[in-house]
Amino acid sequence: MRANEVRKAFTDFFVERGHSPQPSASLIPHDPTLLFTVAGMVPFKTYFTGEEAAPYDRAVTIQKCVRAGGKHNDLDEIGRTKRHLTFFEMMGNFSFGDYFKSDACKWAWEFVTVTLGLDPERLWVTVHLSDDEAATIWEHEVGVPAERIQRLDEDNYWKMGDTGPCGPCSEIFWDKGPEFGADGGPEHGDEDRFIEIWNLVFMQFDQGADGTKTPLPKPSIDTGMGLERTVSVLQGVDSVWDTDELSALQQAAAELTGLDPATAEFDSLVSLRILADHARSTSMLVSDGVFPSNEARGYVLRRILRRAVRHAYLLGVETPVMGGMVDAVVELMGGDYPDLVENHSFIRDVIDREEVRFRETLRTGQAILDEELGALAEGATLSGDTAFLLHDTYGFPLEVTQEITAERGVEVDVDAFRQAMADQQKRAKDARKVAAVGDTGSLVSIVEANGETVFTGRDEAQTDAVVLVNDGAVLVLDRTPFYAESGGQIGDVGTIRTESGEATVTDTRYGVPGLVVHEIGEMRGEISVGQHATAIIDNERRAAIRRNHTATHLLHWALHKVVGDHVKQQGSWVGPDRLRFDFSHYEAVTPAQIAEVEDLVNGEVLSNPSCRHFETTMDEAQKLGAIAFFGDKYGDIVRVLEAGPNSTELCGGTHVRALGDIGAFRVVSEGSIGSNIRRIEAVTGMATIELMRGVDATASAAAKALSVQPDELTDGVERLQAEAKSLRKELDRLKQQLAVGQAPALAAKAVDGVVVDRVDGLDRNGLRDLAVSIRDQESIHAVVLGAELDGGGVALVAAVTPDSPHKAGALIDDAKRTVGGGGKSADDLAVAGGKDASALDAALDQARAAAGIG
């Protein structure tokens, strides 16, 4: 079977057994402790922990995974082993408190032996030492011979963390045959002979902080079957590199690089493998919204991509190749991952740009590294400064430098490198910081006892409710008109009243999924649990937020029209005073493009079509062409916003009823907030009016100061500039006349025809003119003048007559060094500048000495 046939067979098998087929989640996980989605269960974590109710009892997925950063980092192994990949696919079936061990084991066995047709005589099973139940199921319900069921310890036990869901697991192994090592099953045999193809996790306990394990009321199932490894078994090959899809990608790499795999050395074959693997991971990451940068996920993507480019360089390829590799990935995998096809040109563009940028410095950086390595003594390390130079100036990720030096048996002084780039490291660490996780157990119990909070705020600003929680810091109601911060829209504020008290709500957020928490500011009187309450939002503030939120959707649409379809939302913030929209784009948006975006948005507002905000199924929303935002999580039922005829997106926020309600739209700023990420801030409604009033007031004040009408302001400014320019010229002329007027008096102070003096208050040109004027006085043959300049620093000028025994430059050679400067030297006229005005008098003494009068 080919890889795409295995994907389909797995999904079909479990759909026939009542599982809901779910598309692969994004490689950007919601779990803040992870850089990437690294396992099939990651998107379902909150279902297993009970923080969120699963919308289905059973699910089946083919999940995209990347392991190339943090503790899940296999990058250095890629290409040199038979199984390590940065990108891989994990097939999994999941039970959320529905079926358990018996069905999981039976279905797994049926799939591998019947659907895939693997010989049951070559399959082995392992269970945990303590799991007699699983061992019995495998032997007596499934029919696996007892001698091919082995018990393992830690390898067959799974924990989500130090606390939380955990339980034993059971693995299915494939025996590749005696030519691959010793017999004895997974427990005793050679690991190259017995390879794990499927892991079944039985989540049946909740582990407490003290280590106690309490049986879960609804045990669950999480399984993971690696696609690439399974395909290698089915296709009878010894390595994932020999499976159909990865072989095809290596062939594409060979054609692009001109390498003949049949005659290539092993290191060159490794480079082909790296190009194949890295093309898959980079294409998938960019498609999911990751951009090359120097922080967090973007840094990992950049590292992978530049590693691939370097290996193409090692193969002697001087022109970009990764775009061609992207084409091959899309052609091969686009059928199973439609996003790749939809984003094809964008992925290619991003990866092309990164490769071209790196190639601009790769040759020079490689030459520097080669030179440094060649000069190292035996056993010496590469300095941290060199590694930092390669990183900071030539774009070499540290790991790429380490990989190159390791090939020559040299280590890098990593401590020194890290010291040199402490700031960058701090930013990267901040981005990877694990978000603090509070104790949400009590809030989960509130949801379990009372259900999720009913949100009434789409239809009303005031709601009667019952108080469920008041701990002095937060209030929880059974129903509320307050919108909890989510999807970029900030939380509502307002008041909650009962017969005995009133609380000011300063913010609203979700405590756990589905439960709205009102943060309390001032409290008057008392509010008790069980009391009836009236919750009232600040409706004027909410109206301003609505205008900005709907305008954000129009802005997204307009950016697509003006800047390009590659624009993808990277974040947003919607408040009452302004909106902020972050999006992917690789260069500044021009003023003309900004104007065009404003015109498009305001055109939609002026046409005033109605907005439709409704719930529907995800399938129906996709048929309507609704755009889903990166990083947002959606269930089967979603809310769709149709903001006029052109913008249709998934959104759970609050919105205007017609686009005319938004009022005037105006962009107030545009700029970069990171590599390939831009940010636009804009205002709507009364905020736009206030902005325009502010601009008018400033213009009127400026016009009044210039004694012109506001519509003549430009002419007035130009006239003022012309007058100022003319006055500066006149001032310079007068200064020069005044300076030259001093010449006779200064000449009278000459010693043996030489004048050396300090004349402050002149600029360089004035000082030079005065020096020449003195030189031209009778009986003078050499002049040196010094001045402290008004703008800081000093100037020195030397001028001599043709028959003078001195050279102008020689007279101030020492002096200019004393004031910390330099300048032009000629025989008849020399001008120099310096920074140290306190040394000017000493410098002039040196000039006197040089002239023989000091």
Side-chain angles (χ1 to χ4, degrees), residues 248-311:
L249 288 175
Q250 289 171 83
Q251 183 58 39
E255 293 171 2
L256 286 166
T257 60
L259 182 75
D260 181 2
T263 59
E265 300 287 337
F266 177 72
D267 283 346
S268 295
L269 293 177
V270 168
S271 293
L272 289 185
R273 292 173 178 178
I274 287 171
L275 284 168
D277 172 82
H278 291 9
R280 291 207 312 174
S281 53
T282 55
S283 296
M284 291 290 185
L285 285 169
V286 174
S287 182
D288 276 2
V290 183
F291 278 79
S293 72
N294 287 330
E295 294 185 4
R297 298 184 183 95
Y299 177 76
V300 176
L301 171 60
R302 171 164 286 171
R303 178 184 165 195
I304 297 172
L305 187 48
R306 293 191 171 191
R307 187 172 186 261
V309 174
R310 177 182 169 265
H311 277 272

Side-chain angles (χ1 to χ4, degrees), residues 165-166 203-208 212-220:
C166 61
M203 293 188 200
Q204 62 185 106
F205 301 112
D206 182 15
Q207 180 164 308
T212 57
K213 295 182 176 64
T214 304
L216 292 169
K218 292 183 177 179
S220 297

Side-chain angles (χ1 to χ4, degrees), residues 461-465 467 475 477 479-483 492-498 501-508 518-524 527 532-539 541:
Q462 176 175 321
T463 293
D464 293 332
V467 179
L475 274 170
L477 308 176
R479 43 198 280 117
T480 183
F482 285 78
Y483 183 82
D492 279 331
V493 302
T495 58
I496 295 176
R497 298 173 187 153
T498 69
E502 178 175 312
T504 301
V505 177
T506 58
D507 197 5
T508 309
H518 309 81
E519 295 190 357
I520 301 172
E522 183 182 1
M523 171 75 84
R524 294 178 292 279
I527 293 179
H532 287 279
T534 301
I536 309 167
I537 64 171
D538 181 339
N539 204 29
R541 179 178 181 271

Side-chain angles (χ1 to χ4, degrees), residues 299 388 391 398 416-426:
Y299 177 76
F388 178 70
H391 177 280
L398 172 64
F417 170 85
R418 296 200 186 289
Q419 184 62 40
M421 61 171 298
D423 290 342
Q424 290 93 326
Q425 288 294 311
K426 185 176 184 305

Side-chain angles (χ1 to χ4, degrees), residues 219-552:
S220 297
I221 292 292
D222 155 31
T223 82
M225 186 180 200
L227 175 72
E228 291 81 2
R229 195 176 297 186
T230 302
V231 171
S232 72
V233 170
L234 292 171
Q235 296 180 356
V237 295
D238 184 32
S239 164
V240 294
W241 303 110
D242 297 326
T243 57
D244 60 311
E245 288 189 349
L246 284 166
S247 291
L249 288 175
Q250 289 171 83
Q251 183 58 39
E255 293 171 2
L256 286 166
T257 60
L259 182 75
D260 181 2
T263 59
E265 300 287 337
F266 177 72
D267 283 346
S268 295
L269 293 177
V270 168
S271 293
L272 289 185
R273 292 173 178 178
I274 287 171
L275 284 168
D277 172 82
H278 291 9
R280 291 207 312 174
S281 53
T282 55
S283 296
M284 291 290 185
L285 285 169
V286 174
S287 182
D288 276 2
V290 183
F291 278 79
S293 72
N294 287 330
E295 294 185 4
R297 298 184 183 95
Y299 177 76
V300 176
L301 171 60
R302 171 164 286 171
R303 178 184 165 195
I304 297 172
L305 187 48
R306 293 191 171 191
R307 187 172 186 261
V309 174
R310 177 182 169 265
H311 277 272
Y313 176 80
L314 288 177
L315 295 177
V317 180
E318 298 286 347
T319 55
V321 298
M322 290 305 292
M325 291 303 298
V326 171
D327 295 341
V329 170
V330 174
E331 181 179 357
L332 200 62
M333 304 182 70
D336 289 314
Y337 295 98
D339 284 354
L340 283 177
V341 178
E342 183 179 338
N343 299 326
H344 185 177
S345 61
F346 172 66
I347 298 168
R348 203 182 199 286
D349 193 33
V350 169
I351 290 179
D352 268 343
R353 284 172 177 268
E354 182 68 11
E355 179 171 10
V356 168
R357 185 179 302 173
F358 185 46
R359 280 185 177 275
E360 289 173 355
T361 59
L362 175 60
R363 181 189 294 277
T364 305
Q366 183 75 51
I368 290 174
L369 184 52
D370 289 342
E371 183 178 349
E372 290 288 333
L373 290 173
L376 285 180
E378 184 71 23
T381 59
L382 182 75
S383 72
D385 288 344
T386 300
F388 178 70
L389 172 70
L390 291 169
H391 177 280
D392 194 51
T393 305
Y394 299 100
F396 279 52
L398 172 64
E399 296 79 2
V400 171
T401 300
Q402 287 177 304
E403 183 175 330
I404 297 169
T405 59
E407 292 168 357
R408 305 187 195 183
V410 174
E411 295 185 354
V412 177
D413 185 347
V414 176
D415 290 340
F417 170 85
R418 296 200 186 289
Q419 184 62 40
M421 61 171 298
D423 290 342
Q424 290 93 326
Q425 288 294 311
K426 185 176 184 305
R427 285 198 296 274
K429 286 178 181 177
D430 287 345
R432 289 195 294 269
K433 275 184 179 175
V434 176
V437 178
D439 178 12
T440 59
S442 61
L443 297 179
V444 171
S445 66
I446 294 169
V447 177
E448 292 174 348
N450 300 281
E452 297 183 351
T453 309
V454 176
F455 177 56
T456 61
R458 298 189 196 284
D459 304 312
E460 58 190 29
Q462 176 175 321
T463 293
D464 293 332
V466 175
V467 179
L468 301 179
V469 171
N470 179 9
D471 67 359
V474 300
L475 274 170
V476 177
L477 308 176
D478 64 336
R479 43 198 280 117
T480 183
F482 285 78
Y483 183 82
E485 179 179 354
S486 60
Q489 179 174 332
I490 66 172
D492 279 331
V493 302
T495 58
I496 295 176
R497 298 173 187 153
T498 69
E499 288 184 345
S500 57
E502 178 175 312
T504 301
V505 177
T506 58
D507 197 5
T508 309
R509 59 181 171 80
Y510 282 107
V512 294
L515 189 76
V516 175
V517 169
H518 309 81
E519 295 190 357
I520 301 172
E522 183 182 1
M523 171 75 84
R524 294 178 292 279
E526 294 183 356
I527 293 179
S528 305
V529 172
Q531 275 191 304
H532 287 279
T534 301
I536 309 167
I537 64 171
D538 181 339
N539 204 29
E540 185 175 341
R541 179 178 181 271
R542 166 72 80 75
I545 293 173
R546 275 198 298 264
R547 289 192 288 270
N548 283 336
H549 199 160
T550 308
T552 303

Side-chain angles (χ1 to χ4, degrees), residues 109 119-126 144-150 186:
W109 195 258
D119 182 358
E121 299 299 322
R122 296 176 65 180
L123 294 171
W124 290 68
V125 170
T126 62
V144 179
E147 62 271 20
R148 279 193 282 114
I149 302 173
Q150 296 182 326

Side-chain angles (χ1 to χ4, degrees), residues 649-660:
E649 297 180 326
L650 302 185
C651 184
T654 59
H655 293 279
V656 299
R657 298 184 186 280
L659 294 188

